[in-house]
């Protein structure tokens, strides 16, 4: 690099450019400033190269999820399905079904449990913009008590797929076989392996979490915003102190009411 090129920007300006550049811009910028001898620039280059390596690895991971979706789903309309709230003691069982196009790809897709709440929110918004179709089905607590979780899960899966408005050639589901819909294909750990299942897991989680926050305003003593309806110590203590609401699954809560200590 010529001396006038080195001095055309201050070291702090170069560092700022390298720090804020998009992934697609980084290789050319790294090459441009590689021979700049200034210490601040060299430090920024090292950080940029590490970021480039991380982002390339992340994109390779997500590319593999789309490749798995295509391989397992085959040609035609492919829908991914996942649930949230199966083990909760309050609130609904929520199932989401998502059909994704091959492009554009949604970078950052992953099992919703591996993402921060803020990251899930951002990805859910992007999924809503990109998806071909999204469907939901919510099974309330009383219905879960009446028909049992296995039947509730099958009903929710069928309802979410129907809610997409599509007639899928393949339905890729996270977990073990349910026999809930035609053309079902079950994928263990599918929410971390298959793009459309991961998208369904994220949207289901964000949607149900928002509902539990709304329920918390109605039943503030039960800590539903924090626990999301699961059996946290604070939630169990509230059940023992105040009894059950209509949002609780009676069939899941008997032990909390019958025993003094669960731990």
């Amino acid at each position: 690099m010529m001396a006038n090129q080195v001095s055309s920007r201050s070291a702090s300006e170069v560092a700022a450019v390298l720090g804020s550049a998009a992934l697609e811009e980084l290789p050319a910028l790294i090459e441009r400033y590689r021979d700049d001898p200034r210490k601040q620039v060299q430090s920024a280059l090292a950080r940029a190269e590490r970021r480039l390596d991380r982002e390339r690895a992340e994109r390779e991971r997500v590319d593999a999820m789309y490749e798995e979706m295509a391989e397992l789903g085959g040609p035609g309309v492919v829908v991914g399905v996942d649930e949230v709230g199966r083990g909760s003691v309050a609130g609904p069982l929520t199932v989401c079904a998502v059909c994704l196009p091959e492009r554009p790809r949604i970078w950052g897709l992953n099992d919703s449990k591996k993402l921060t709440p803020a990251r899930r929110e951002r990805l859910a918004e992007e999924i809503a913009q990109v998806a071909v179709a999204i469907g939901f089905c919510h099974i309330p607590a009383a219905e879960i008590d009446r028909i049992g979780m296995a039947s509730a899960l099958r009903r929710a899966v069928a309802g979410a797929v129907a809610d997409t408005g599509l007639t899928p050639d393949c339905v890729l589901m996270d977990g073990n076989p349910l026999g809930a819909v035609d053309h079902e294909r079950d994928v263990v750990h599918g929410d971390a392996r298959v793009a459309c299942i991961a998208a369904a897991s994220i949207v289901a989680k964000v949607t149900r979490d928002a509902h539990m926050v709304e329920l918390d305003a109605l039943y503030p003593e039960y800590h539903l915003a924090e626990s999301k309806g699961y059996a946290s110590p604070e939630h169990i203590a509230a059940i023992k102190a105040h009894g059950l609401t209509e949002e609780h699954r009676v069939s899941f809560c008997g032990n909390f009411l019958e025993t003094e200590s669960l731990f």
Side-chain angles (χ1 to χ4, degrees), residues 2-201:
M2 299 297 291
N4 63 342
Q5 291 178 295
V6 172
S7 60
S8 62
R9 280 182 166 174
S10 70
S12 60
E13 288 174 332
V14 174
V17 168
L18 288 166
S20 62
L23 176 66
E24 292 76 13
E25 300 171 327
L26 272 180
L29 287 169
I30 289 170
E31 187 60 30
R32 178 180 178 185
Y33 292 108
R34 186 178 302 280
D35 297 325
D36 190 315
R38 292 172 291 183
K39 184 175 180 180
Q40 186 176 3
V41 173
Q42 288 298 312
S43 295
L45 281 167
R47 291 193 297 273
E49 288 176 330
R50 290 194 295 271
R51 179 161 71 93
L52 183 61
D53 289 342
R54 288 195 303 271
E55 294 199 21
R56 280 175 170 168
E58 170 64 8
R59 293 207 172 188
E60 288 173 3
R61 183 189 66 78
V62 174
D63 280 337
M65 296 179 76
Y66 277 87
E67 290 163 9
E68 190 88 338
M69 179 176 74
E71 181 178 343
L72 294 175
V77 177
V78 179
V79 170
V81 174
D82 201 7
E83 58 79 22
V84 65
R86 187 190 308 200
S88 174
V89 301
L93 169 72
T94 294
V95 171
C96 180
V98 175
C99 179
L100 289 179
E102 175 67 16
R103 302 282 178 180
R105 297 200 163 170
I106 301 172
W107 306 116
L109 280 178
N110 208 338
D111 173 3
S112 63
K113 296 183 293 296
K114 298 180 180 179
L115 301 168
T116 65
R119 185 65 174 145
R120 284 196 297 264
E121 292 277 356
R122 290 194 295 272
L123 284 168
E125 291 176 2
E126 188 171 355
I127 292 163
Q129 294 170 358
V130 168
V132 174
I134 298 176
F136 295 98
C137 188
H138 310 279
I139 306 294
E143 186 74 358
I144 294 169
D145 284 332
R146 189 178 71 82
I147 65 176
M149 179 53 72
S151 294
L153 189 56
R154 286 192 292 271
R155 182 173 297 183
V157 168
V161 172
D163 193 49
T164 65
L166 303 175
T167 303
D169 298 289
C170 183
V171 177
L172 297 174
M173 290 182 45
D174 182 48
N176 298 311
L178 282 177
V181 291
D182 293 336
H183 313 298
E184 176 186 315
R185 185 165 188 178
D186 304 283
V187 186
V188 176
H189 303 307
D191 49 5
R193 293 173 50 195
V194 180
C196 56
I197 300 178
S201 78

